[in-house]
Amino acid sequence: MADKSLGAPCALNVRTVSAFADQLLADITNFSSVELDLTECEELDLAALQAISAARIHAADTGKTLSLSQPAHGALRSVLDRAGFTTDPSPADVDFWFHGESPQ
Amino acid sequence: MNAEDPAAAFRIEAGELLEQVEQGLLDLGHSLADMDLINAVFRGLHTLKGSGAMFGFDALAAFTHHCETAFDRVRKGQVPATAELVAVILSAQDHMRALVEGDAPDADGEAILARLQHALESASGAEPPVAEPGADRQGWRLFFRLPADAMANGTNPLMLLDELRDLGEAHIVARTDEIPPLPDLVATQCHIGWDVTLIGDISREDIEDVFIFVMDDMTLELEPLGDETSDDTAEADSCAVATSPVADTPQAGAPSSAAAASAAKAGESVRVPAERLDELMDRVGELVIAQSRLSQLAHDGDDLVLRSVSEEIERLANELRDTMMVVRMVPVASLFSRFRRLVHDLANDTGKQIALVTEGESTEVDKTVIERLFDPLVHIIRNSCDHGLETAAERAAAGKPETGTVRLSAHQASGEVLITIRDDGRGIDRERVRAKADANGLIQPGQVLSESELLSLIFHPGFSTAAQVTNLSGRGVGMDVVKRTIESLRGSIDVASTEGEGSTITLRIPLTLAIIQGLLVRVGNGSYVIPLAAVEECIELSLEEDFRSRGRSLINLRDRLVPFLRLRELFATGTKPDTHQKIVIVAIGNERVGLVVDQIIGNHQTVIKSLSAFHSGIATFSGATILGDGNVALILDVGQLVAMGQSVDTEEKIHAVG
């Protein structure tokens, strides 16, 4: 069980991503483990994937844990596919985005 | 338009793009195999999609994407262009317009896409796509990284990736190694790169087209796939992922020819809101008035230096005015091209075969005039197609070609532009016009009417000879509105018709609505301006002749009787006539009238000011201007005066006969 659960807005895109990234950074700073809940997120774009990827790097750098509340599906899965994140993913990527289940 | 409003700028750009696409599609309808046209339509759709996504018109971009994909298949020879496909894209283009304006029903878009799918399937059936199972696999390996600010500027990288996928079999791997840790991330900047392997018959230009809007600042490494592409795909894929492609052909900073062409084009013209041009025109007008006052002062005094400076300013002001007039001029081609679609749709709606022929498209007219001419011309062309032209069977029976022709032409003649709409249809049925006018009480039973009077009845409000009201015309609300609009432009409208051969409607429109060359005259104590373009000659009216012609206002001009109007009496000046009165002969078309004035003062640069709403009902005047001494001179409406003179002429002739 993560110390903190952070929900994302319905639309997480280049227009809204900055506020979300700020909140995410604050939570990673203040908690040892953060769980992202993207189930309410219906619209994502590349800026969202990039912010989450940057958060993963920061969490790893600082010894914190960042995870998704659910394996990627729906809008998130679709954006990952379109952005080329699911082609030849590393094991760490499979663990993070798909909770260990191969996306193929 | 607010210059800062990118959405408004995009709407204008989209309008122009859609216009180009429409013209391309209409041309393509006549020659389905023309690759230049197919490419032009594809490029138009491609640009519309890219710009739309950039400016946040996501629905438009998504919808246009489907049409672009369809045309992409056509240009690659995978499916042939068919009339059905062209028709569907034409209707899709209407939907795109609605999407640009933000009032497009979703259901329409879905229905069009379903029709598009059907058209593509039918086209595929007509000529199956060329399958090359045994052919060597061709393709490209590329790495690209977008400019950091691409997303913030409206580029959606996901759509670019989708476009790459549309080009062929694509293997796309995101490179996330340059994403910084969250504290260092500017979340709206793009730090992701992509390794892409594209397999298919894809040209370098196809790939560069995808990046046309970001090409200048991006990193693009592109190399053709070598022999290894004939190996299995997995190997090619792993190769693309594992190796960092060598930048054999780095494209960063080297814009493609298409991008260079578009950049060059952008440098050739500047888009300026029309209202700024209007403001500038107003300022030029004020300057001309001020210069006119200065010129008068300089000539009244003896200061040679002041006179010299005044003449210099006059020259500069005139040049500025001429330049300004040219800036506002646009070719009527932009107006005429909009009717091709109208005629195309009318032909479909009426089941008639109609060809639109345009001539003189390079004729230039003031932009405001062009805009205000659109609606009247729509009415006239609709009437020609609906009432004028016969069905193919009727035409064949009458010994005419089955395809009816509507000819739209423009040319300049002495300060006016003449726009002629001519059809080779059945002509105006005079008996029906007379019967209708009788029924409506517009004329007395048995009233004698000249040819032009009879035909001009069609401009009467509520007049229509159409037996049936169709969705095209026949509501009787058209031609009177047309006449009013043309007159509001200080223009005139003439109609001529030969039964069985067709009708011709001629619009005479002034080249500009802002400044005219005028002839300044004095009547009584007031100054008036007569538009110089309408003036044919000036002759003297001696007191003896004036006296002789009392009660019979006709003058013998080279063996032709020309009616004249005594402006002094018409304006009730209450002054005595000058000893040496002049007659200014003015003409509109073939009609001539003399205007008796007390004195001709000379040429005058006339900056036209509108009359107030209170005075606008006075038909004799079309506007006012400010003279060099600060006084106001009214501008005579020559069209109205000629009509008035002609009616006096007719009355007098009838009187003479009686």
Side-chain angles (χ1 to χ4, degrees), chain A residues 14 17 25 46 50-51 53-55 57-58 81-85 87-88, chain B residues 158 161-162 165 171-172 174 179-180 182-183 187-191 194 241:
Chain A
V14 71
V17 73
L25 178 59
L46 191 74
Q50 183 176 258
S53 299
I57 297 167
H58 179 54
D81 287 341
R82 287 175 72 196
F85 275 56
T87 316
D88 304 326
Chain B
L158 297 177
L161 293 168
D162 289 344
R165 287 189 181 90
H171 184 86
I172 298 175
I179 297 179
L182 192 54
T188 53
Q189 290 191 344
C190 185
H191 301 281
W194 285 271
V241 176

PDB file of all heavy atoms in Angstrom, chain A residues 14 17 25 46 50-51 53-55 57-58 81-85 87-88, chain B residues 158 161-162 165 171-172 174 179-180 182-183 187-191 194 241:
ATOM      1  N   VAL A  14      -0.982  18.583 -22.685  1.00  0.00           N
ATOM      2  CA  VAL A  14       0.042  19.627 -22.644  1.00  0.00           C
ATOM      3  C   VAL A  14      -0.477  20.892 -21.950  1.00  0.00           C
ATOM      4  O   VAL A  14       0.296  21.669 -21.404  1.00  0.00           O
ATOM      5  CB  VAL A  14       0.560  19.916 -24.077  1.00  0.00           C
ATOM      6  CG1 VAL A  14      -0.502  20.632 -24.909  1.00  0.00           C
ATOM      7  CG2 VAL A  14       1.857  20.703 -24.061  1.00  0.00           C
ATOM      8  N   VAL A  17      -0.637  19.589 -17.962  1.00  0.00           N
ATOM      9  CA  VAL A  17       0.392  18.719 -17.412  1.00  0.00           C
ATOM     10  C   VAL A  17       1.292  19.419 -16.386  1.00  0.00           C
ATOM     11  O   VAL A  17       1.778  18.770 -15.441  1.00  0.00           O
ATOM     12  CB  VAL A  17       1.234  18.100 -18.561  1.00  0.00           C
ATOM     13  CG1 VAL A  17       2.153  19.139 -19.185  1.00  0.00           C
ATOM     14  CG2 VAL A  17       2.023  16.901 -18.077  1.00  0.00           C
ATOM     15  N   LEU A  25       5.630  15.972  -8.243  1.00  0.00           N
ATOM     16  CA  LEU A  25       6.948  16.223  -7.648  1.00  0.00           C
ATOM     17  C   LEU A  25       6.823  16.437  -6.139  1.00  0.00           C
ATOM     18  O   LEU A  25       7.621  15.879  -5.353  1.00  0.00           O
ATOM     19  CB  LEU A  25       7.588  17.461  -8.314  1.00  0.00           C
ATOM     20  CG  LEU A  25       8.943  17.876  -7.777  1.00  0.00           C
ATOM     21  CD1 LEU A  25       9.973  16.756  -7.929  1.00  0.00           C
ATOM     22  CD2 LEU A  25       9.450  19.144  -8.488  1.00  0.00           C
ATOM     23  N   LEU A  46       1.150  12.973 -25.217  1.00  0.00           N
ATOM     24  CA  LEU A  46       2.547  12.636 -25.003  1.00  0.00           C
ATOM     25  C   LEU A  46       3.129  13.361 -23.794  1.00  0.00           C
ATOM     26  O   LEU A  46       3.992  12.819 -23.085  1.00  0.00           O
ATOM     27  CB  LEU A  46       3.356  12.978 -26.257  1.00  0.00           C
ATOM     28  CG  LEU A  46       4.762  12.427 -26.237  1.00  0.00           C
ATOM     29  CD1 LEU A  46       4.765  10.933 -26.485  1.00  0.00           C
ATOM     30  CD2 LEU A  46       5.635  13.126 -27.274  1.00  0.00           C
ATOM     31  N   GLN A  50       5.376  11.739 -20.822  1.00  0.00           N
ATOM     32  CA  GLN A  50       6.713  12.266 -20.541  1.00  0.00           C
ATOM     33  C   GLN A  50       6.840  12.675 -19.071  1.00  0.00           C
ATOM     34  O   GLN A  50       7.861  12.387 -18.418  1.00  0.00           O
ATOM     35  CB  GLN A  50       6.973  13.474 -21.452  1.00  0.00           C
ATOM     36  CG  GLN A  50       8.357  14.050 -21.286  1.00  0.00           C
ATOM     37  CD  GLN A  50       8.613  15.172 -22.276  1.00  0.00           C
ATOM     38  OE1 GLN A  50       9.283  14.963 -23.272  1.00  0.00           O
ATOM     39  NE2 GLN A  50       8.084  16.350 -21.999  1.00  0.00           N
ATOM     40  N   ALA A  51       5.800  13.304 -18.529  1.00  0.00           N
ATOM     41  CA  ALA A  51       5.847  13.727 -17.123  1.00  0.00           C
ATOM     42  C   ALA A  51       5.943  12.501 -16.209  1.00  0.00           C
ATOM     43  O   ALA A  51       6.702  12.488 -15.223  1.00  0.00           O
ATOM     44  CB  ALA A  51       4.616  14.559 -16.787  1.00  0.00           C
ATOM     45  N   SER A  53       7.125   9.574 -17.047  1.00  0.00           N
ATOM     46  CA  SER A  53       8.458   8.978 -17.226  1.00  0.00           C
ATOM     47  C   SER A  53       9.513   9.750 -16.427  1.00  0.00           C
ATOM     48  O   SER A  53      10.399   9.153 -15.803  1.00  0.00           O
ATOM     49  CB  SER A  53       8.841   8.981 -18.708  1.00  0.00           C
ATOM     50  OG  SER A  53       7.912   8.227 -19.441  1.00  0.00           O
ATOM     51  N   ALA A  54       9.395  11.102 -16.443  1.00  0.00           N
ATOM     52  CA  ALA A  54      10.342  11.930 -15.678  1.00  0.00           C
ATOM     53  C   ALA A  54      10.197  11.658 -14.181  1.00  0.00           C
ATOM     54  O   ALA A  54      11.185  11.625 -13.434  1.00  0.00           O
ATOM     55  CB  ALA A  54      10.105  13.405 -15.981  1.00  0.00           C
ATOM     56  N   ALA A  55       8.961  11.426 -13.756  1.00  0.00           N
ATOM     57  CA  ALA A  55       8.713  11.127 -12.343  1.00  0.00           C
ATOM     58  C   ALA A  55       9.317   9.772 -11.967  1.00  0.00           C
ATOM     59  O   ALA A  55       9.854   9.594 -10.859  1.00  0.00           O
ATOM     60  CB  ALA A  55       7.207  11.139 -12.070  1.00  0.00           C
ATOM     61  N   ILE A  57      11.975   8.474 -13.283  1.00  0.00           N
ATOM     62  CA  ILE A  57      13.434   8.679 -13.163  1.00  0.00           C
ATOM     63  C   ILE A  57      13.761   9.332 -11.821  1.00  0.00           C
ATOM     64  O   ILE A  57      14.669   8.907 -11.099  1.00  0.00           O
ATOM     65  CB  ILE A  57      13.936   9.559 -14.331  1.00  0.00           C
ATOM     66  CG1 ILE A  57      13.710   8.847 -15.670  1.00  0.00           C
ATOM     67  CG2 ILE A  57      15.405   9.927 -14.149  1.00  0.00           C
ATOM     68  CD1 ILE A  57      13.868   9.743 -16.890  1.00  0.00           C
ATOM     69  N   HIS A  58      12.971  10.344 -11.468  1.00  0.00           N
ATOM     70  CA  HIS A  58      13.216  11.068 -10.215  1.00  0.00           C
ATOM     71  C   HIS A  58      13.013  10.152  -9.012  1.00  0.00           C
ATOM     72  O   HIS A  58      13.819  10.157  -8.059  1.00  0.00           O
ATOM     73  CB  HIS A  58      12.282  12.274 -10.141  1.00  0.00           C
ATOM     74  CG  HIS A  58      12.434  13.077  -8.893  1.00  0.00           C
ATOM     75  ND1 HIS A  58      13.650  13.585  -8.457  1.00  0.00           N
ATOM     76  CD2 HIS A  58      11.518  13.462  -7.943  1.00  0.00           C
ATOM     77  CE1 HIS A  58      13.490  14.244  -7.325  1.00  0.00           C
ATOM     78  NE2 HIS A  58      12.199  14.178  -6.989  1.00  0.00           N
ATOM     79  N   ASP A  81       0.655   2.967 -26.947  1.00  0.00           N
ATOM     80  CA  ASP A  81       0.846   2.297 -28.243  1.00  0.00           C
ATOM     81  C   ASP A  81       1.227   3.307 -29.318  1.00  0.00           C
ATOM     82  O   ASP A  81       2.168   3.109 -30.075  1.00  0.00           O
ATOM     83  CB  ASP A  81      -0.435   1.565 -28.673  1.00  0.00           C
ATOM     84  CG  ASP A  81      -0.670   0.305 -27.850  1.00  0.00           C
ATOM     85  OD1 ASP A  81       0.301  -0.179 -27.223  1.00  0.00           O
ATOM     86  OD2 ASP A  81      -1.814  -0.187 -27.817  1.00  0.00           O
ATOM     87  N   ARG A  82       0.443   4.400 -29.370  1.00  0.00           N
ATOM     88  CA  ARG A  82       0.680   5.393 -30.434  1.00  0.00           C
ATOM     89  C   ARG A  82       2.056   6.037 -30.293  1.00  0.00           C
ATOM     90  O   ARG A  82       2.692   6.380 -31.286  1.00  0.00           O
ATOM     91  CB  ARG A  82      -0.394   6.489 -30.382  1.00  0.00           C
ATOM     92  CG  ARG A  82      -1.754   6.047 -30.869  1.00  0.00           C
ATOM     93  CD  ARG A  82      -2.776   7.150 -30.674  1.00  0.00           C
ATOM     94  NE  ARG A  82      -2.596   8.255 -31.609  1.00  0.00           N
ATOM     95  CZ  ARG A  82      -3.146   9.463 -31.454  1.00  0.00           C
ATOM     96  NH1 ARG A  82      -3.906   9.699 -30.396  1.00  0.00           N
ATOM     97  NH2 ARG A  82      -2.932  10.421 -32.350  1.00  0.00           N
ATOM     98  N   ALA A  83       2.502   6.199 -29.051  1.00  0.00           N
ATOM     99  CA  ALA A  83       3.769   6.900 -28.825  1.00  0.00           C
ATOM    100  C   ALA A  83       4.981   5.989 -28.972  1.00  0.00           C
ATOM    101  O   ALA A  83       6.116   6.428 -28.831  1.00  0.00           O
ATOM    102  CB  ALA A  83       3.756   7.528 -27.433  1.00  0.00           C
ATOM    103  N   GLY A  84       4.742   4.724 -29.252  1.00  0.00           N
ATOM    104  CA  GLY A  84       5.869   3.798 -29.416  1.00  0.00           C
ATOM    105  C   GLY A  84       6.470   3.351 -28.095  1.00  0.00           C
ATOM    106  O   GLY A  84       7.619   2.899 -28.047  1.00  0.00           O
ATOM    107  N   PHE A  85       5.723   3.430 -26.989  1.00  0.00           N
ATOM    108  CA  PHE A  85       6.214   2.996 -25.680  1.00  0.00           C
ATOM    109  C   PHE A  85       6.050   1.490 -25.489  1.00  0.00           C
ATOM    110  O   PHE A  85       6.633   0.919 -24.562  1.00  0.00           O
ATOM    111  CB  PHE A  85       5.465   3.730 -24.553  1.00  0.00           C
ATOM    112  CG  PHE A  85       6.045   5.073 -24.201  1.00  0.00           C
ATOM    113  CD1 PHE A  85       6.203   6.058 -25.168  1.00  0.00           C
ATOM    114  CD2 PHE A  85       6.433   5.378 -22.897  1.00  0.00           C
ATOM    115  CE1 PHE A  85       6.734   7.307 -24.856  1.00  0.00           C
ATOM    116  CE2 PHE A  85       6.966   6.621 -22.577  1.00  0.00           C
ATOM    117  CZ  PHE A  85       7.114   7.586 -23.562  1.00  0.00           C
ATOM    118  N   THR A  87       6.491  -0.785 -27.959  1.00  0.00           N
ATOM    119  CA  THR A  87       7.280  -1.579 -28.908  1.00  0.00           C
ATOM    120  C   THR A  87       8.604  -1.916 -28.230  1.00  0.00           C
ATOM    121  O   THR A  87       9.334  -1.000 -27.822  1.00  0.00           O
ATOM    122  CB  THR A  87       7.555  -0.766 -30.192  1.00  0.00           C
ATOM    123  OG1 THR A  87       6.357  -0.095 -30.582  1.00  0.00           O
ATOM    124  CG2 THR A  87       8.025  -1.658 -31.310  1.00  0.00           C
ATOM    125  N   ASP A  88       8.898  -3.175 -28.087  1.00  0.00           N
ATOM    126  CA  ASP A  88      10.136  -3.626 -27.433  1.00  0.00           C
ATOM    127  C   ASP A  88      10.381  -2.934 -26.097  1.00  0.00           C
ATOM    128  O   ASP A  88      11.422  -2.292 -25.895  1.00  0.00           O
ATOM    129  CB  ASP A  88      11.336  -3.367 -28.359  1.00  0.00           C
ATOM    130  CG  ASP A  88      11.149  -4.032 -29.705  1.00  0.00           C
ATOM    131  OD1 ASP A  88      10.540  -5.125 -29.742  1.00  0.00           O
ATOM    132  OD2 ASP A  88      11.578  -3.445 -30.714  1.00  0.00           O
TER     133      ASP A  88
ATOM    134  N   LEU B 158       1.916  12.720 -31.467  1.00  0.00           N
ATOM    135  CA  LEU B 158       1.209  11.459 -31.703  1.00  0.00           C
ATOM    136  C   LEU B 158       0.592  11.440 -33.108  1.00  0.00           C
ATOM    137  O   LEU B 158       0.556  10.400 -33.766  1.00  0.00           O
ATOM    138  CB  LEU B 158       0.114  11.256 -30.650  1.00  0.00           C
ATOM    139  CG  LEU B 158       0.617  11.121 -29.206  1.00  0.00           C
ATOM    140  CD1 LEU B 158      -0.554  11.002 -28.245  1.00  0.00           C
ATOM    141  CD2 LEU B 158       1.544   9.911 -29.066  1.00  0.00           C
ATOM    142  N   LEU B 161       3.254  10.647 -35.588  1.00  0.00           N
ATOM    143  CA  LEU B 161       3.527   9.206 -35.584  1.00  0.00           C
ATOM    144  C   LEU B 161       2.431   8.449 -36.346  1.00  0.00           C
ATOM    145  O   LEU B 161       2.709   7.505 -37.094  1.00  0.00           O
ATOM    146  CB  LEU B 161       3.633   8.691 -34.149  1.00  0.00           C
ATOM    147  CG  LEU B 161       4.847   9.233 -33.369  1.00  0.00           C
ATOM    148  CD1 LEU B 161       4.726   8.915 -31.886  1.00  0.00           C
ATOM    149  CD2 LEU B 161       6.147   8.643 -33.916  1.00  0.00           C
ATOM    150  N   ASP B 162       1.176   8.905 -36.146  1.00  0.00           N
ATOM    151  CA  ASP B 162       0.069   8.282 -36.888  1.00  0.00           C
ATOM    152  C   ASP B 162       0.273   8.448 -38.388  1.00  0.00           C
ATOM    153  O   ASP B 162       0.002   7.531 -39.179  1.00  0.00           O
ATOM    154  CB  ASP B 162      -1.273   8.917 -36.490  1.00  0.00           C
ATOM    155  CG  ASP B 162      -1.692   8.521 -35.071  1.00  0.00           C
ATOM    156  OD1 ASP B 162      -1.111   7.547 -34.552  1.00  0.00           O
ATOM    157  OD2 ASP B 162      -2.586   9.164 -34.516  1.00  0.00           O
ATOM    158  N   ARG B 165       2.718   6.055 -39.652  1.00  0.00           N
ATOM    159  CA  ARG B 165       2.105   4.719 -39.773  1.00  0.00           C
ATOM    160  C   ARG B 165       1.277   4.618 -41.056  1.00  0.00           C
ATOM    161  O   ARG B 165       1.181   3.566 -41.674  1.00  0.00           O
ATOM    162  CB  ARG B 165       1.197   4.437 -38.566  1.00  0.00           C
ATOM    163  CG  ARG B 165       1.953   4.165 -37.291  1.00  0.00           C
ATOM    164  CD  ARG B 165       1.016   3.665 -36.186  1.00  0.00           C
ATOM    165  NE  ARG B 165       1.780   3.430 -34.975  1.00  0.00           N
ATOM    166  CZ  ARG B 165       1.980   4.355 -34.037  1.00  0.00           C
ATOM    167  NH1 ARG B 165       1.456   5.561 -34.169  1.00  0.00           N
ATOM    168  NH2 ARG B 165       2.702   4.086 -32.962  1.00  0.00           N
ATOM    169  N   HIS B 171       7.434   0.544 -37.601  1.00  0.00           N
ATOM    170  CA  HIS B 171       7.887   0.007 -36.324  1.00  0.00           C
ATOM    171  C   HIS B 171       8.451   1.204 -35.570  1.00  0.00           C
ATOM    172  O   HIS B 171       9.478   1.753 -35.947  1.00  0.00           O
ATOM    173  CB  HIS B 171       8.962  -1.053 -36.575  1.00  0.00           C
ATOM    174  CG  HIS B 171       9.426  -1.738 -35.344  1.00  0.00           C
ATOM    175  ND1 HIS B 171       8.778  -2.833 -34.819  1.00  0.00           N
ATOM    176  CD2 HIS B 171      10.469  -1.494 -34.528  1.00  0.00           C
ATOM    177  CE1 HIS B 171       9.405  -3.234 -33.731  1.00  0.00           C
ATOM    178  NE2 HIS B 171      10.441  -2.432 -33.532  1.00  0.00           N
ATOM    179  N   ILE B 172       7.731   1.600 -34.528  1.00  0.00           N
ATOM    180  CA  ILE B 172       8.075   2.865 -33.864  1.00  0.00           C
ATOM    181  C   ILE B 172       8.469   2.593 -32.415  1.00  0.00           C
ATOM    182  O   ILE B 172       7.720   1.949 -31.675  1.00  0.00           O
ATOM    183  CB  ILE B 172       6.878   3.832 -33.894  1.00  0.00           C
ATOM    184  CG1 ILE B 172       6.525   4.156 -35.364  1.00  0.00           C
ATOM    185  CG2 ILE B 172       7.174   5.108 -33.115  1.00  0.00           C
ATOM    186  CD1 ILE B 172       5.300   5.012 -35.543  1.00  0.00           C
ATOM    187  N   ALA B 174       9.863   4.543 -28.952  1.00  0.00           N
ATOM    188  CA  ALA B 174      10.154   5.820 -28.298  1.00  0.00           C
ATOM    189  C   ALA B 174      11.529   5.761 -27.637  1.00  0.00           C
ATOM    190  O   ALA B 174      11.887   4.752 -27.031  1.00  0.00           O
ATOM    191  CB  ALA B 174       9.076   6.127 -27.268  1.00  0.00           C
ATOM    192  N   ILE B 179      14.851  12.218 -21.394  1.00  0.00           N
ATOM    193  CA  ILE B 179      13.880  12.845 -20.487  1.00  0.00           C
ATOM    194  C   ILE B 179      14.603  13.137 -19.169  1.00  0.00           C
ATOM    195  O   ILE B 179      15.209  12.235 -18.570  1.00  0.00           O
ATOM    196  CB  ILE B 179      12.677  11.908 -20.219  1.00  0.00           C
ATOM    197  CG1 ILE B 179      11.921  11.637 -21.526  1.00  0.00           C
ATOM    198  CG2 ILE B 179      11.725  12.528 -19.193  1.00  0.00           C
ATOM    199  CD1 ILE B 179      10.735  10.695 -21.376  1.00  0.00           C
ATOM    200  N   PRO B 180      14.556  14.375 -18.706  1.00  0.00           N
ATOM    201  CA  PRO B 180      15.249  14.696 -17.445  1.00  0.00           C
ATOM    202  C   PRO B 180      14.433  14.222 -16.245  1.00  0.00           C
ATOM    203  O   PRO B 180      13.244  13.920 -16.375  1.00  0.00           O
ATOM    204  CB  PRO B 180      15.328  16.222 -17.472  1.00  0.00           C
ATOM    205  CG  PRO B 180      14.172  16.649 -18.299  1.00  0.00           C
ATOM    206  CD  PRO B 180      13.891  15.551 -19.284  1.00  0.00           C
ATOM    207  N   LEU B 182      12.144  14.551 -12.948  1.00  0.00           N
ATOM    208  CA  LEU B 182      10.990  15.439 -12.824  1.00  0.00           C
ATOM    209  C   LEU B 182      11.337  16.865 -12.369  1.00  0.00           C
ATOM    210  O   LEU B 182      10.787  17.828 -12.911  1.00  0.00           O
ATOM    211  CB  LEU B 182       9.946  14.811 -11.889  1.00  0.00           C
ATOM    212  CG  LEU B 182       8.569  15.461 -11.880  1.00  0.00           C
ATOM    213  CD1 LEU B 182       7.963  15.556 -13.274  1.00  0.00           C
ATOM    214  CD2 LEU B 182       7.622  14.695 -10.956  1.00  0.00           C
ATOM    215  N   PRO B 183      12.249  17.055 -11.391  1.00  0.00           N
ATOM    216  CA  PRO B 183      12.506  18.444 -10.959  1.00  0.00           C
ATOM    217  C   PRO B 183      13.076  19.312 -12.078  1.00  0.00           C
ATOM    218  O   PRO B 183      12.919  20.528 -12.046  1.00  0.00           O
ATOM    219  CB  PRO B 183      13.544  18.274  -9.835  1.00  0.00           C
ATOM    220  CG  PRO B 183      13.390  16.882  -9.362  1.00  0.00           C
ATOM    221  CD  PRO B 183      12.986  16.077 -10.557  1.00  0.00           C
ATOM    222  N   ALA B 187       7.491  20.663 -18.355  1.00  0.00           N
ATOM    223  CA  ALA B 187       6.561  19.611 -18.764  1.00  0.00           C
ATOM    224  C   ALA B 187       5.993  19.806 -20.168  1.00  0.00           C
ATOM    225  O   ALA B 187       5.538  18.854 -20.794  1.00  0.00           O
ATOM    226  CB  ALA B 187       5.414  19.511 -17.756  1.00  0.00           C
ATOM    227  N   THR B 188       6.011  21.034 -20.671  1.00  0.00           N
ATOM    228  CA  THR B 188       5.438  21.255 -22.001  1.00  0.00           C
ATOM    229  C   THR B 188       6.480  21.100 -23.116  1.00  0.00           C
ATOM    230  O   THR B 188       6.147  21.208 -24.292  1.00  0.00           O
ATOM    231  CB  THR B 188       4.827  22.673 -22.098  1.00  0.00           C
ATOM    232  OG1 THR B 188       5.821  23.618 -21.706  1.00  0.00           O
ATOM    233  CG2 THR B 188       3.606  22.808 -21.207  1.00  0.00           C
ATOM    234  N   GLN B 189       7.736  20.879 -22.728  1.00  0.00           N
ATOM    235  CA  GLN B 189       8.751  20.671 -23.758  1.00  0.00           C
ATOM    236  C   GLN B 189       8.852  19.184 -24.100  1.00  0.00           C
ATOM    237  O   GLN B 189       8.561  18.329 -23.270  1.00  0.00           O
ATOM    238  CB  GLN B 189      10.113  21.177 -23.268  1.00  0.00           C
ATOM    239  CG  GLN B 189      10.151  22.699 -23.158  1.00  0.00           C
ATOM    240  CD  GLN B 189      11.547  23.224 -22.927  1.00  0.00           C
ATOM    241  OE1 GLN B 189      12.447  22.467 -22.561  1.00  0.00           O
ATOM    242  NE2 GLN B 189      11.718  24.523 -23.112  1.00  0.00           N
ATOM    243  N   CYS B 190       9.292  18.931 -25.309  1.00  0.00           N
ATOM    244  CA  CYS B 190       9.333  17.546 -25.767  1.00  0.00           C
ATOM    245  C   CYS B 190      10.780  17.035 -25.721  1.00  0.00           C
ATOM    246  O   CYS B 190      11.666  17.596 -26.376  1.00  0.00           O
ATOM    247  CB  CYS B 190       8.781  17.460 -27.185  1.00  0.00           C
ATOM    248  SG  CYS B 190       8.658  15.775 -27.775  1.00  0.00           S
ATOM    249  N   HIS B 191      11.001  15.974 -24.930  1.00  0.00           N
ATOM    250  CA  HIS B 191      12.352  15.408 -24.796  1.00  0.00           C
ATOM    251  C   HIS B 191      12.436  13.989 -25.332  1.00  0.00           C
ATOM    252  O   HIS B 191      13.435  13.317 -25.150  1.00  0.00           O
ATOM    253  CB  HIS B 191      12.771  15.420 -23.318  1.00  0.00           C
ATOM    254  CG  HIS B 191      12.770  16.784 -22.722  1.00  0.00           C
ATOM    255  ND1 HIS B 191      13.785  17.686 -22.921  1.00  0.00           N
ATOM    256  CD2 HIS B 191      11.854  17.423 -21.944  1.00  0.00           C
ATOM    257  CE1 HIS B 191      13.509  18.817 -22.281  1.00  0.00           C
ATOM    258  NE2 HIS B 191      12.341  18.676 -21.693  1.00  0.00           N
ATOM    259  N   TRP B 194      12.324   9.351 -31.419  1.00  0.00           N
ATOM    260  CA  TRP B 194      11.765   8.096 -31.912  1.00  0.00           C
ATOM    261  C   TRP B 194      12.671   7.454 -32.958  1.00  0.00           C
ATOM    262  O   TRP B 194      13.195   8.164 -33.840  1.00  0.00           O
ATOM    263  CB  TRP B 194      10.392   8.330 -32.555  1.00  0.00           C
ATOM    264  CG  TRP B 194       9.303   8.577 -31.551  1.00  0.00           C
ATOM    265  CD1 TRP B 194       8.514   7.652 -30.951  1.00  0.00           C
ATOM    266  CD2 TRP B 194       8.912   9.839 -31.021  1.00  0.00           C
ATOM    267  NE1 TRP B 194       7.645   8.249 -30.068  1.00  0.00           N
ATOM    268  CE2 TRP B 194       7.872   9.597 -30.092  1.00  0.00           C
ATOM    269  CE3 TRP B 194       9.333  11.149 -31.208  1.00  0.00           C
ATOM    270  CZ2 TRP B 194       7.246  10.609 -29.376  1.00  0.00           C
ATOM    271  CZ3 TRP B 194       8.710  12.159 -30.499  1.00  0.00           C
ATOM    272  CH2 TRP B 194       7.685  11.889 -29.596  1.00  0.00           C
ATOM    273  N   VAL B 241      16.395  -0.747 -33.203  1.00  0.00           N
ATOM    274  CA  VAL B 241      16.370  -0.378 -31.790  1.00  0.00           C
ATOM    275  C   VAL B 241      17.771  -0.361 -31.207  1.00  0.00           C
ATOM    276  O   VAL B 241      18.142   0.549 -30.484  1.00  0.00           O
ATOM    277  CB  VAL B 241      15.503  -1.390 -31.001  1.00  0.00           C
ATOM    278  CG1 VAL B 241      15.545  -1.071 -29.521  1.00  0.00           C
ATOM    279  CG2 VAL B 241      14.084  -1.369 -31.533  1.00  0.00           C
TER     280      VAL B 241
END
